[in-house]
Amino acid sequence: MDAEEHRPDHPDYDPSTVFIPKSEWQKMTPGMKRFWLSKSKNFDSVLLYRWARWFVVYYQDAAICGKYMDLIVPPRQTMHIVGFPEDMLQTNIKVLTQRGYKVAVCE
């Protein structure tokens, strides 16, 4: 469902957003809340999330980055995560956009 709780078959469905139930918000750490607040409004983009002098990428975005940026995605039970140093930001944005992905940078 999108942020307005429309299903994909609804005429007003917005694939760039995602609905996150209140019960899920309550389980999140403050850092994950900040991440999902941004991701929920940019669901159709690969979100590059700044963490000090690195950019961190989570979940399905980590799999995309692992495939195209030659990053290793370690196996985890609950989520995937990869990162790269900030000096690789412009290069990695170019790699993703050349492959047709939208990119959102969260500072």
Side-chain angles (χ1 to χ4, degrees):
M1 292 191 289
D2 69 10
E4 298 298 321
E5 299 185 54
H6 297 131
R7 297 191 180 280
D9 59 348
H10 191 281
D12 295 327
Y13 175 72
D14 180 1
S16 69
T17 67
V18 67
F19 173 72
I20 300 173
K22 209 177 264 192
S23 60
E24 292 301 315
W25 284 111
Q26 294 169 345
K27 297 176 190 176
M28 293 181 200
T29 64
M32 278 290 102
K33 284 179 182 178
R34 284 191 305 272
F35 167 79
W36 278 108
L37 183 61
S38 297
K39 186 64 178 173
S40 68
K41 297 174 184 175
N42 297 282
F43 197 66
D44 61 342
S45 300
V46 175
L47 182 61
L48 308 178
Y49 192 75
R50 181 182 286 280
W51 191 261
R53 299 192 77 193
W54 285 76
F55 282 90
V56 180
V57 188
Y58 298 100
Y59 304 104
Q60 70 273 19
D61 294 347
I64 292 167
C65 290
K67 181 177 179 180
Y68 295 116
M69 292 183 206
D70 206 22
L71 301 172
I72 297 172
V73 181
R76 298 187 189 269
Q77 290 183 342
T78 57
M79 74 171 157
H80 295 285
I81 182 173
V82 295
F84 59 87
E86 66 184 355
D87 62 345
M88 293 298 298
L89 178 62
Q90 294 304 316
T91 299
N92 288 337
I93 288 173
K94 185 176 180 180
V95 166
L96 292 169
T97 57
Q98 285 178 339
R99 291 195 164 46
Y101 291 97
K102 292 182 185 179
V103 177
V105 177
C106 184
E107 296 277 344

